[in-house]
Amino acid sequence: MTTGDLITLLPLIVLTAAPVVVMLAAAFYRSHTLALALTLVGLAATIVSLFIAATRTSRQVTPLLSFDTYALFYIGLLSAATAAVAILSWNYLQRRHVHPEEYYMLLLTATLGGAVLVASTHFASFFLGLEILSVSLYALVVYPIYRAQFVEAAVKYLVLAGSTSAFLVFGMALVYAETGTMTVSGLAPILSAGLGGPDVVVALGVVLLLVGVGFKLAVVPFHMWTPDVYQGAPAPVGAYVATVSKGAVFALLLRYFRPVSLDPGSTLFLVFAAVAIASMVAGNLLALRQDNVKRILAYSSIAHLGYLLVAFLATGERAAIAVTFYLVAYFATTLAAFGVVAALSTPARDAESIDDYRGLSRRRRWTATALTVALFSLAGMPLTIGFFGKFYVVTAGAGAALWALIIVLVLTSTVGLYYYTRIVVAMWVRQPDESADTVGAAVDGGSAAVLAALTAFLIVFGVYPAPLIQLIERAVSTLP
Amino acid sequence: MILLWYILIPAAAAPLAWLLSRSQPQVARWVAVGGTALPLALVTWQWVSEAGALRAAFTAHGPGAAGLVQGTWLAHVHAAWISPLGISFFLAEDGLTLIMLVLTFAMGLLAVIASWRGITERVGFFHFMILWTTAALAGVFLSLDLFLFYFFFEMMLIPMYFVIALWGHERRVYAAVKFFIFTQASGLLMLIAILALYFIHGRATGTYTFDFTQLLGTRMPSATAFLLMLGFFAAFAVKLPVFPLHTWLPDAHTEAPTAGSVILAGVLIKIGAYGMIRFMVPLFPQATFDFRTVAMILAVIGIIYGAVMAYAQRDLKRLVAYTSVSHMGFVLLGIFAWNTLALQGVVLQIVCHALSTGALFILVGTLQDRIHTRDMTKMGGLWAIAPRMGGTAMFFALASLGLPGLGNFVAEFLILLGTWQVSKWAAVLGALGLVFATVYALWMMQRAFQGEETHALRFHDLVPRETGMYAALIAALVVLGFYPQPLIATARQTVTAVQQITAGTPLSSQANVAAQLIVAAGETQAEAIVADRAPTDGER
């Protein structure tokens, strides 16, 4: 390894150093504010180091990791999202009198796992990144341990993520045993051959790999854990699972499949299409009957991953741009929505019942506005970034002539309007039974700033997305 | 540049109204008046000053040139927006746009004045929503980039949804969500059609663009064209609304507050007609022709069904809502007849229906504010209590049933005349709608304002603010009834231009020449010459 390689690795090194610093600081001087500050500094340094790493021309560091612009872009996205989660967590933890310093350390290690995933070009780094991410998340879900539901959610997540890892490793082992390759480039012909290849063992390995990825992305039929974990986990951790965890895995999926030509009509394509349709239909329909905002967001995230798969199936550069743009939009929107939930939650319980939002517009006008913008962005309405996200996905699908998938997308996303507007109605329309039994903590300054920034992001890029699109085009251009 | 102001003024006034209203709700109202009256004044001024230009463009270049080619617009704005995708910020204005803009701002202003006393809660937020709707509507009528059009098309959904859901009547949430879902679903179908067109054109020419003027004349298999046409038709048919996609309309119109009903009936549903004339037919003339029989049957059903349903209502506002279904049937009939006469009738109908139905909705609103019911069985003999209101209601009921001498008559007559040349059966059955209209309009007057007084309601008659509004609307309808020429002349440029695009397809009917002569008979010599010159090939 040369000095040049170290410069290329700089983002990862900074991101590895950050949790160590936070941990050491906590060992000598316990201060919640200091932990948050160090975390933010660490994340900011990571983002700065991206620009330094971008100056390097040689991007591949060992066969394991590739720090092309694609990876750098996603590391930036993950770091920014983590920073938002960290700030949103501060007040949530502060109110609850737990020792919160290690929480930030776990947040940073989880992000480190995500960063490894988005740069991964090898099974080894794939598995390593996924495990760093998952193990950190087990602890994060249960971190404020005083509530039984956190433990319940954590155990569920532990069991499912554990078995997911088993599936993945077994799949990798089968593929390696038969083909002797663990790299993306070596994998491309195998994936191109799809499930119809002559070698049954390889096909089985690929299926197991996809099952593992499917669990992480929580697409149907591997979605069962999502509502429970979203509901059970603390609201900021829910936001983290919904964005960073899923986004990193999807970025990896995109990288692994970029050199693969998925032939419409091949079994692999049909499997993906079926999963996409099932996710869109089930996610949207199951969300209809929920009264819990966290569960609504969970089911809606299943549907959104279905939309992403539609763009993913379009393949080619346009698909990569569409997926990345949609992920950025989805990150910002989901963080804003969960951010409101987190900001309004009290130590007694999270603000998760739809009744907690009744009349919110009269109690907290700006918070209600932020959540409304986020919900409209999830619904894909104009003037929000979600509109362009959905537009991009539909465009990618139309470009690849995936008409059946697009029509399902259109119809199911219309169903989605119903449950998004339910929350909006609860916030804005005066109801006769507006009771006093609502949760509504005061929104702290940090959360308010994050929510304001996210809302501004949603609207600014919902009106003029061109700069973001250009950035993303540059980012995905280095994918092989 | 002036086109930008039409969108920017209401868009800028919107947050202003919201923010300034915190201490003084009254400020929001005045900001909203300014935010709609200022662009109204601007567009009227432009109309007056461009009247000569419209005429000149028409006579100098012949009907063909005065249209959709860049350089013959009254004004246009073209700027890059999202270049990687070939999306541009392309606004342009011609005669039809001018009329739609006048209508938009006039109805916006009317909506603000009509809710002067009725809206007492969240006044700032209400006017924020009204102004936002106005800005989006102006954008819809100005956009010539299909993506931009879709953007604005979707953009007005949110404020309209809020207006219905927050300030509406008893079943407002249901009506708002239904409206939202219907429009969004159909809009997405149009988006798919737009994207398909975008890719077909891009693959054929190498230029990926949403620019409508470039997409015109894209070649594709007729089966594909038919499907894409249906995508556009779905969106516009829900808006218009066309039977059987109309079910959101009675709910939304009835449950919306007065201002919402006025904008819905006055402008929003007209997007359906506008979109068909501007985009659907010129893009897919052959497919439109193939679809003509079905559409005309739907139109006739809509005319008769709307009228019969109106007759069956007890709720006064719901009655007025159903009359819209009937009147919009005429619009659909006229569009699919696609000759000069019918299209000019359509433009007139768009304007006159907005005026008369808008007035009726305001009237129902003022009545409901006073007696707190819309149930006609609880009314009766109201004329004696409020004679000015009774007289006004009578006037607009007569306008709605198509009394000669008022604008609506001219409009529906022209449409039927144009339809006759294409399909005699459709014209005959459509004319039945006029008979049914007489029944429901007079029945409404009988039940609400005439007859025996079975209640003890006492309320005050119209106040000057209301009298002023109605007087303006009455004057407009009478003027259009006797002298519709200015409107027809303004719309003529567009009507001939869109027909020019479809020339050579079966859609352009032979009846056009004769029709133009009839209309031009009372006009200046110059236009008669144009009508003469129309068929020569050298012009095309």
Side-chain angles (χ1 to χ4, degrees), chain B residues 38-96:
Chain B
L38 193 60
L40 180 62
L42 261 180
V43 73
T44 316
W45 168 78
Q46 202 195 7
W47 194 358
V48 172
S49 60
E50 299 279 2
L54 277 167
R55 189 165 292 241
F58 188 76
T59 49
H61 305 290
L68 294 159
V69 192
Q70 194 172 344
T72 55
W73 302 104
L74 291 177
H76 72 276
V77 175
H78 202 293
W81 184 24
I82 309 170
S83 336
L85 289 174
I87 298 172
S88 56
F89 191 80
F90 182 15
L91 304 178
E93 184 187 44
D94 67 355
L96 182 59

Side-chain angles (χ1 to χ4, degrees), chain A residues 362 365 382 399 425 428 463, chain B residues 18 81 122 154 161 166 203:
Chain A
R362 271 175 299 280
R365 183 206 289 220
V425 164
W428 292 92
V463 175
Chain B
W18 193 11
W81 184 24
R122 302 197 204 200
E154 294 279 287
Y161 163 80
L166 288 188
R203 297 232 164 90

Side-chain angles (χ1 to χ4, degrees), chain B residues 154-212:
Chain B
E154 294 279 287
M155 199 173 114
M156 76 204 156
L157 276 185
I158 300 172
M160 214 55 225
Y161 163 80
F162 272 111
V163 166
I164 300 172
L166 288 188
W167 295 276
H169 305 305
E170 305 81 25
R171 297 171 67 224
R172 56 185 188 267
V173 171
Y174 168 78
V177 172
K178 193 171 176 182
F179 161 77
F180 199 55
I181 290 179
F182 262 73
T183 322
Q184 171 84 0
S186 62
L188 282 168
L189 290 179
M190 177 172 74
L191 177 65
I192 296 181
I194 291 175
L195 285 172
L197 187 65
Y198 168 78
F199 282 111
I200 289 171
H201 179 265
R203 297 232 164 90
T205 62
T207 332
Y208 286 91
T209 177
F210 285 96
D211 185 336
F212 165 66

